[in-house]
Amino acid sequence: MPTLKIFVGTVYGGALDVAEQVKPLFEQAGYEVSIYDQPTLDDLVGSPTDLALFCVSTTGSGDYPGNLVPFTRAIVDDGPDLSELRYGLIALGDSSYGDTFCGAGRSLDALLSEHGAYRLGERLEVDAMETFMADDAALPWAEAWIDEENLQVA
């Protein structure tokens, strides 16, 4: 059974909630799903990752949540080859912050790409000013992502 690893960067739990809400969709699509709410680089590269999904909120002025900082720092410091990685990304933010809206998700997307990872489809950016519950946007996006990227394996 292929694996989907969901990596979460969260401050108040919103991104973790999104991860937990989309998990059953991927299980129904035939994946063994694991959620990492304190992700490490070894979680990503230490064992095979057939598909990854990043659920990342933004804090401060476009910064990574504290639980994601060691993960991103390890990518920068270790420079792993991620050319085998296929991933999707759900970024949570608040457009009232202007230019830093979804800054952590955008930064992570760029970082993964710099190391050779391939994003499947478009990044979802959820605006807290428009969407009270992020999973209201994430669930339809995940369903469409599975369909449009032919990720169904079951």
Side-chain angles (χ1 to χ4, degrees):
M1 177 177 287
T3 61
L4 168 69
K5 295 179 181 178
I6 304 177
F7 297 91
V8 177
T10 193
V11 177
Y12 300 112
L16 180 58
D17 183 55
V18 167
E20 291 169 345
Q21 294 295 319
V22 301
K23 180 182 178 184
L25 297 175
F26 290 96
E27 290 171 335
Q28 292 166 10
Y31 290 87
E32 182 178 327
V33 182
S34 299
I35 295 176
Y36 298 88
D37 61 356
Q38 294 292 325
T40 66
L41 182 56
D42 191 58
D43 293 331
L44 181 63
V45 300
S47 61
T49 302
D50 295 306
L51 185 63
L53 178 62
F54 296 88
C55 297
V56 182
S57 62
T58 298
T59 189
S61 297
D63 302 320
Y64 293 118
N67 74 310
L68 198 63
V69 169
F71 174 80
T72 56
R73 189 173 293 138
I75 293 174
V76 171
D77 292 347
D78 296 353
D81 175 10
L82 300 177
S83 59
E84 298 295 315
L85 180 66
R86 299 177 318 140
Y87 73 95
L89 199 143
I90 299 172
L92 310 179
D94 183 327
S95 62
S96 70
Y97 284 84
D99 291 344
T100 63
F101 170 63
C102 287
R106 293 174 180 178
S107 295
L108 179 60
D109 205 3
L111 180 63
L112 294 168
S113 179
E114 287 169 21
H115 289 272
Y118 179 74
R119 188 186 72 228
L120 299 174
E122 295 299 315
R123 174 180 63 234
L124 173 64
E125 294 186 349
V126 181
D127 183 358
M129 293 294 289
E130 296 177 2
T131 308
F132 179 67
M133 298 295 290
D135 52 329
D136 288 344
L139 287 168
W141 176 89
E143 289 173 340
W145 192 57
I146 289 167
D147 185 48
E148 292 166 6
E149 299 299 327
N150 298 312
L151 301 175
Q152 186 84 25
V153 293

